[in-house]
Amino acid sequence: MSASYTGIGWNRQKRIYDAVMIASIVIFLGAFYGLGRVLFRPPHDATDETLLIRGLGSCAIIMLHIVLWIGPLARLQPRLAPLLYNRRHLGVGTFVLGLCHAAFATVQFHGFGNVNPLVSLLTSNTQYGSLARFPFEVLGLAALLILFLMAATSHDFWNRNLTPRFWKSLHMCVYGAYALLVAHVSLGTLQQERSPLILATVGVSVAVTIGLHLAGARREARTDRGSEPAAGDSGPWIDAGPAADLPMDRARIVCARGGERIAVFRHAGGVSAVSNVCRHQGGPLGEGKIVDGCVTCPWHGWQYRPGDGCSPPPFKERVETYRVRIVAGRVRVNPTALAPGTPVEPAVIEEGARV
Amino acid sequence: MNAADEFYIGWSGRTPAGYARWSRLAASVLIVSALVGGLTLLGAQRDPGPGTWDPNATVTLVGRVRADPGPILLIDAVEGDGRVPARAALLVSTGKFGAAGRVANMTGDPVRVRGTLINRGGFVVIELVDGAEAVTAASSAGNPEWPVEDLGIRTVRGEIVDPKCYSGAMKPGEGKVHRACAVRCLSGGITPVLVGRDESGLVGGFVLAGPRGEAINQRVLEFVADPIVVAGRVERHGGPDGVLVMRIDPAAIRRQ
C-alpha cells in the first residue's frame, strides 16, 4: 500500500519477480532464435525478421496465458499468491512483446509499399466472409488495443481515478483480448503451419485456461449458493456457522442468496463482518488475514479495520460493514450492507470457545 | 509461526517459508518451460524454403529486356565474378514495387542491369538498384533473338505469390500469413507468379499475364495465397533455362 503515487513502488519482491520474468523472456526468445539459426541452415534459413516476429508473438501469447492462469492458481493454491502480487508487470510485459511483434510484422508485411502501412494493415485483405481467408491481422490489432488500454491504466493512479469498479470492468476485457488472440493464431499461423504440435499446444493451452477458471469458479460457487436464514430469527439474518470454528485472525465467507459475499472475521476483539471485495482490485478479503489488527487482502496487502471497514490512516479506502451477532454459539450476519466505513460493534465470543 | 498461519504480503518485504518454496518452484517451472517452449515451438515451424538473397551483393548483367508479359531480362553475360543460375530473370524494384515502368521503353534493346539476385531453385528475380544506373543501354548484346516456345494450353494448380518474397526476399514468402504482403507487392506492380504444377508434371513458377501480355495484378489480388486452379497458354521464354509465362483470363481462376 502507498499513500502517494510513484512510478513503481519497487521492493525486493518486485525486483525478483521482474528478474524472473525478463530471464524467462530472454531464454524463450534465445531458444527460439538460436534453434532457428541451427535448424534452418542456408539455403533453407529463415530471415531474422521472421524469427523475431514469430518468437515475439509466441512469447506474448504464452505470457498472456500465464497472466490468466495466475488468478485461479492462486485461488486453488494460496501459496502461489506471490505470483499474483506483481501480475501487472507480466501484463505490461505481454503488451510490450505484442507491440514489438505487431510493429515488426507491420513493417515487414505492410511497409515499403504503395500505401501507408497502417492503411495496408486494414485494407490488404477484406475477405471477412470466409474463415479460410479471414484477415487474422485485424484480430491481433484489436487484441493489442485492449492490451494497450490495460497496460496504460495498470497503475493505481488509474485504479483510483477511474473508480475500482470501472477499472476492474476494463481489465476484465483481458478475456476478450485472449479470445481475439486465440482466433488470431487459429486463423493465421495454424492455417499456414499445420503442425500437429502447434495445434496441440494451442488446444491444450486453451483447455487449461478454461479448466483452471472452471475449477476456481466451482470453488466460489459453493459460497455463492447462499447461506441458510438463521433459524428462529425474524429478520434477514443468515447463519455463518459455529463461532468456535472460526480460526483466529481468519475469515469465513458467507453470502445471502443472490447477495454479495461477506467476509466474517474472528479477531482479538470478537467477530466482525466486512465486504469480501477489496477496494483496490476486487481481491477476496475473506481469503486474507488479520495482520496488525487489520483485515489484509491476500492479493496486494491492502488493509481495513474489521470494526469499521476503514483503512488505517493515512489511507482513506473504506469497505461496507455488516451487523454481526452470536446466538447459541453460532455467528449470524445481517446481509444488508451498511455504508462503507460504518462502525459496527464486534460480536463477542463467550469465554471458553475453542480457538 | 506454523504453516497454516503463514500469510504473504507483497509490500512487507518478507516471504514466509511456504510461500517461498512455492515461488521457487513456480520460477523454476517458468524458466524451464521458457527453454522447452522456445525450442518446441521453433522445432514445429515449417521449412521456410530454399530461397536465397544477399541484398548487399550487387551484380551487373548484360542482356535484353521486355516490359510484357512482365519485366523480364534475358541474360547474355555477367560482368565480374558473378554467376546467375538461369538464362532469364524477372525484374523488380526495391521495396514492394515492380519494374515494368523502368524498362517500358527498352523492349528488345540490349541493356546493362545492376541489381541483387534473389534465387529459389533456379527461379531468379533481380531487384534493381535505385536510380537511373539500374538499367542503362548497352553497346551490344550477344544474342539478338528472344526465343519463345509455345507449350500449349495447360491447367495449373498452385498458389499465386509475389515472386520477390517467394524467391527469398522474405522467408517464408508464401501462404496465408504472407497474403497481405503479397497483395501489397502485387499492388505495387510486382508481376504475379503462379507457383504450382500442371497435369503433365511441369513444375515451377509461371509468370502470369493477360491474354495479350497485359498486367493482371489487380484482377488476381483476391486469389493471392489461396490454392487455385486455372488454365491458360504456357510459353517458355529464353530457352531451356528460361522463364515460364502463362497467359490467363483472371475470370477463369477457381479456388480448389
Side-chain angles (χ1 to χ4, degrees):
Chain A
M1 290 180 81
S2 174
S4 61
Y5 297 113
T6 55
I8 299 173
W10 286 109
N11 60 27
R12 184 169 177 271
Q13 310 289 338
K14 290 184 181 178
R15 288 193 182 91
I16 294 172
Y17 196 106
D18 284 10
V20 172
M21 176 180 77
I22 291 169
S24 300
I25 292 170
V26 170
I27 288 170
F28 179 90
L29 292 177
F32 194 93
Y33 182 87
L35 186 63
R37 280 279 152 266
V38 171
L39 198 63
F40 298 128
R41 307 306 294 266
H44 291 264
D45 52 326
T47 60
D48 288 342
E49 295 88 342
T50 296
L51 291 175
L52 270 176
I53 290 169
R54 295 185 176 190
L56 288 165
S58 302
C59 194
I61 197 165
I62 289 171
M63 279 179 65
L64 183 59
H65 276 93
I66 296 170
V67 167
L68 293 176
W69 291 355
I70 283 176
L73 277 175
R75 182 63 55 86
L76 297 168
Q77 172 46 265
R79 295 286 189 278
L80 288 172
L83 301 187
L84 213 147
Y85 172 61
N86 205 27
R87 183 169 54 167
R88 277 181 284 184
H89 287 204
L90 262 184
V92 173
T94 301
F95 164 71
V96 171
L97 286 171
L99 181 65
C100 292
H101 164 79
F104 277 119
T106 302
V107 170
Q108 172 92 329
F109 295 130
H110 301 277
F112 315 108
N114 58 348
V115 298
N116 181 293
L118 294 177
V119 174
S120 173
L121 180 65
L122 298 172
T123 60
S124 289
N125 180 7
T126 54
Q127 301 188 58
Y128 291 94
S130 163
L131 266 186
R133 296 185 291 282
F134 196 92
F136 67 98
E137 298 93 334
V138 176
L139 301 170
L141 177 64
L144 189 65
L145 289 175
I146 293 174
L147 293 178
F148 165 72
L149 283 177
M150 294 174 56
T153 61
S154 63
H155 197 276
D156 278 350
F157 171 86
W158 291 106
N159 178 287
R160 168 77 65 88
N161 287 285
L162 291 173
T163 73
R165 183 181 291 272
F166 181 84
W167 188 93
K168 185 74 178 175
S169 302
L170 177 66
H171 284 245
M172 290 298 280
C173 291
V174 69
Y175 292 102
Y178 178 64
L180 286 166
L181 284 180
V182 171
H184 173 70
V185 171
S186 301
L187 298 177
T189 296
L190 279 188
Q191 289 193 359
Q192 172 131 340
E193 290 297 326
R194 300 182 183 189
S195 159
L197 196 55
I198 296 179
L199 180 65
T201 302
V202 173
V204 169
S205 301
V206 172
V208 169
T209 304
I210 294 171
L212 280 174
H213 282 77
L214 286 177
R218 190 175 169 191
R219 185 184 157 112
E220 291 193 342
R222 279 185 228 126
T223 304
D224 290 344
R225 260 184 235 127
S227 301
E228 293 298 323
D233 242 319
S234 55
W237 297 80
I238 56 174
D239 183 48
D245 289 351
L246 257 179
M248 181 57 97
D249 293 333
R250 297 286 187 171
R252 180 179 299 142
I253 300 171
V254 297
C255 179
R257 287 202 176 94
E260 296 293 324
R261 292 176 196 148
I262 303 166
V264 183
F265 274 92
R266 179 171 182 175
H267 53 98
V271 177
S272 296
V274 298
S275 166
N276 189 54
V277 182
C278 179
R279 272 285 176 271
H280 180 217
Q281 290 188 18
L285 292 178
E287 295 176 28
K289 186 182 178 185
I290 302 284
V291 177
D292 297 333
C294 289
V295 172
T296 305
C297 181
W299 284 9
H300 300 95
W302 284 42
Q303 293 186 309
Y304 308 89
R305 292 191 298 246
D308 60 7
C310 295
S311 293
F315 306 105
K316 296 174 180 172
E317 284 70 27
R318 294 178 302 173
V319 293
E320 293 84 355
T321 54
Y322 296 85
R323 285 187 286 270
V324 184
R325 65 188 182 193
I326 297 174
V327 177
R330 297 186 73 84
V331 179
R332 295 184 177 186
V333 181
N334 186 321
T336 303
L338 303 173
T342 303
V344 175
E345 195 65 28
V348 178
I349 300 176
E350 58 270 28
E351 282 187 29
R354 181 164 49 89
V355 175
Chain B
M1 181 185 288
N2 64 42
D5 285 338
E6 286 185 341
F7 187 68
Y8 173 80
I9 306 174
W11 50 259
S12 73
R14 293 187 305 274
T15 305
Y19 287 84
R21 270 197 302 278
W22 277 91
S23 296
R24 282 194 293 271
L25 175 65
S28 304
V29 168
L30 188 64
I31 287 174
V32 171
S33 300
L35 181 63
V36 173
L39 296 175
T40 303
L41 286 179
L42 188 284
Q45 306 283 316
R46 196 168 56 167
D47 181 344
T52 58
W53 182 36
D54 181 353
N56 297 313
T58 304
V59 296
T60 302
L61 309 167
V62 177
R64 279 153 301 120
V65 288
R66 288 176 69 160
D68 66 78
I72 296 171
L73 173 73
L74 287 193
I75 302 161
D76 291 319
V78 183
E79 295 187 346
D81 298 331
R83 186 178 154 277
V84 180
R87 171 81 205 290
L90 259 181
L91 302 179
V92 299
S93 296
T94 53
K96 294 180 170 66
F97 293 98
R102 301 172 75 178
V103 298
N105 299 322
M106 297 177 164
T107 291
D109 293 346
V111 292
R112 178 172 283 103
V113 167
R114 293 198 72 225
T116 53
L117 287 181
I118 309 171
N119 171 34
R120 179 164 178 163
F123 186 91
V124 176
V125 174
I126 296 172
E127 184 194 77
L128 300 176
V129 298
D130 290 327
E133 63 171 318
V135 185
T136 54
S139 56
S140 65
N143 187 347
E145 291 184 12
W146 187 284
V148 177
E149 179 187 2
D150 185 352
L151 301 180
I153 302 293
R154 305 283 185 121
T155 299
V156 178
R157 296 174 187 277
E159 174 187 337
I160 295 175
V161 301
D162 77 85
K164 182 177 181 179
C165 292
Y166 172 78
S167 299
M170 200 171 288
K171 299 179 71 177
E174 61 201 279
K176 182 175 182 182
V177 172
H178 184 262
R179 177 201 298 270
C181 179
V183 166
R184 199 76 287 122
C185 286
L186 300 193
S187 298
I190 292 177
T191 309
V193 165
L194 173 58
V195 177
R197 72 165 58 222
D198 78 351
E199 66 275 17
S200 72
L202 181 64
V203 179
F206 298 78
V207 176
L208 294 179
R212 292 176 303 284
E214 73 274 24
I216 54 172
N217 296 36
Q218 294 301 319
R219 299 183 64 192
V220 302
L221 286 184
E222 67 170 300
F223 298 105
V224 169
D226 288 341
I228 62 149
V229 57
V230 67
R233 180 167 295 281
V234 175
E235 304 163 346
R236 192 193 304 274
H237 290 230
D241 291 336
V243 63
L244 294 168
V245 173
M246 187 173 189
R247 298 173 188 270
I248 64 165
D249 175 4
I253 299 175
R254 296 286 177 268
R255 289 192 176 88
Q256 293 190 72

